[in-house]
Amino acid sequence: MSLKKHIRIIGGGLCGCLTAYHIAVRYPGYYVELVETSDHLISAFDPISLDGHALNNGFHSIELPRADAFYSFIIDELELDFTQKVNSRLLFIKNNLVPFVAPLSEWPIDLQKEFLVKPPFESNSIEDFWSVLSEEYKGLLKVIGARYSHNVQDILGLLIPWFLPADYVLNSGDEGDLFRNNVRNNSILPMYGHPTGHVFDVLQDAMLAKLETLGVKIHLSTSVVFNADGFEFCSLGNVENSLKVEADYTFFCASSSIIIKEIDSTIYNKLTEKPRYLYNGLLEVTNPVETTPFSEIICADAVCPAIARISAPDEFGYSIDHKGKYLQVELFIQPSEDVNKLRAELPSHISRILGLRQPNTIKLLEMKLTRFVFQPKKEDLALAEVAIASWVRNQATNLAIQYNFGPINMAKAWKKSIEFAEIVQ
């Protein structure tokens, strides 16, 4: 019997590609293949075009030193040209710009009164933080939370601790929360890495070349069909015979919604029944500007709650003295909202948030829909996990899966790919 193990990875996103990389490096004699439904790898990094400019579909960065190992992989293994900069994250809350690392004592006085329990305050449960807030502040979070879900309890992780002072500490044990705590208590200096030119699609061809060098067999434009008998692969609508042989290990690295869509359409319909629309806007600021430099501004704006984030693709800060600077804005818009009204008012909202004054000018170059976003109810997500777990036990016992119904960040993708690789023997 051959000792050459057969490894199959479903999903050519970042986690799937990294899983294939780690297994191929650890076990150079094994047969590793990667199956992806798209015609290229890591399609989440596909750029968007706004006013003729190629941009990431939202703010992308590699948080450092949180993802140092992944960053080193990009530099040393993929040999890409990346840059590191200080991550100067700001919060916009009730007409105030606040540093993300500021404790309550450094917040504006009108915001300090919104916290009924004074710091230090720590808990390992995110729900505990809700009780420390005034009713007015809870109301603000509910208003901006509606850009994700009408049930604020389902999306506390998107609000807390992002819009709390640094001395309110969530000790959940999650590596992301640990990193955030270390940033906010000044134990580490937060940096972020990005490609020269900012657009992350440079990883796509570089990853493909690296995996092919390692001997990974890559099946593009190949979908997976899940049913009561297990799963099979189809290329351009036809069953892919070369993938009929069962692998020794199979790793599912794509969104769990792909499975639940086919094994339980009722649950899938619940997960996707209330979409939000992610719009990206590109604005240009002309004439010299003085403002606090930032990498991103995360917004809690009751006047225009759809605005989630403002970032600066070409840097933004003190005394800009050339013709223009670009700002990228992410907006989560409900189906009932008037997009044309938002489009017309966006320059004045951004000018207000940044505190820009005449003769500064700001104009919207383009704003368009770039993604559909779903934030299901917790109970529906739990039902989906139970249904998938039952299906795996009965139809796919050799399938290793991570339950995620949305994108995972780059640091978590790196960590999970190592965990998957460690399963292989």
Side-chain angles (χ1 to χ4, degrees), residues 263 383-397 403:
I263 67 171
L383 287 173
E385 287 194 18
V386 170
I388 293 172
S390 175
W391 179 86
V392 169
R393 281 195 306 271
N394 294 315
Q395 274 78 38
T397 54
Y403 296 103

Side-chain angles (χ1 to χ4, degrees), residues 13 18 21 27 76 120 137 146 184 202 231 233 304 346 396 415:
L18 291 174
Y21 166 78
Y27 303 101
D76 299 334
Y137 202 70
R184 302 187 91 184
V202 296
F231 53 91
F233 301 91
C304 187
L346 188 59
K415 182 175 182 289

Side-chain angles (χ1 to χ4, degrees), residues 197-266:
H198 290 263
V199 185
F200 268 80
D201 66 334
V202 296
L203 270 75
Q204 295 172 333
D205 289 343
M207 186 72 79
L208 175 66
K210 171 55 67 173
L211 294 180
E212 288 180 338
T213 299
L214 293 171
V216 176
K217 173 64 176 177
I218 299 173
H219 304 268
L220 297 175
S221 301
T222 304
S223 60
V224 56
V225 179
F226 300 90
N227 51 48
D229 298 320
F231 53 91
E232 63 181 2
F233 301 91
C234 294
S235 178
L236 302 176
N238 300 313
V239 174
E240 180 59 67
N241 291 322
S242 66
L243 291 169
K244 281 188 173 181
V245 177
E246 185 173 355
D248 295 293
Y249 296 90
T250 302
F251 298 94
F252 185 82
C253 297
S255 170
S256 305
S257 61
I258 296 172
I259 299 178
I260 200 65
K261 181 178 182 179
E262 299 197 39
I263 67 171
D264 194 320
S265 60
T266 300

Side-chain angles (χ1 to χ4, degrees), residues 314-381:
D314 65 345
E315 310 305 316
F316 193 76
Y318 292 114
S319 298
I320 298 166
D321 56 8
H322 57 76
K323 287 188 177 180
K325 277 288 184 178
Y326 296 115
L327 295 174
Q328 186 172 353
V329 180
E330 297 168 53
L331 305 98
F332 289 87
I333 298 177
Q334 300 180 51
S336 61
E337 292 186 76
D338 187 339
V339 176
N340 288 330
K341 183 174 184 291
L342 280 173
R343 187 178 281 112
E345 296 176 349
L346 188 59
S348 63
H349 288 309
I350 301 305
S351 180
R352 172 177 53 83
I353 291 170
L354 294 177
L356 302 181
R357 300 180 179 89
Q358 293 298 332
N360 304 319
T361 58
I362 181 168
K363 65 179 180 178
L364 177 64
L365 300 178
E366 187 176 5
M367 172 180 143
K368 67 182 181 183
L369 173 66
T370 59
R371 187 185 301 158
F372 294 95
V373 180
F374 303 94
Q375 189 62 49
K377 297 178 181 178
K378 286 183 178 179
E379 55 264 35
D380 292 334
L381 288 172

Side-chain angles (χ1 to χ4, degrees), residues 45-48 54-56 82 194-203:
F45 286 163
D46 287 352
I48 59 175
L55 299 167
N56 296 313
F82 268 55
H194 64 81
T196 301
H198 290 263
V199 185
F200 268 80
D201 66 334
V202 296
L203 270 75

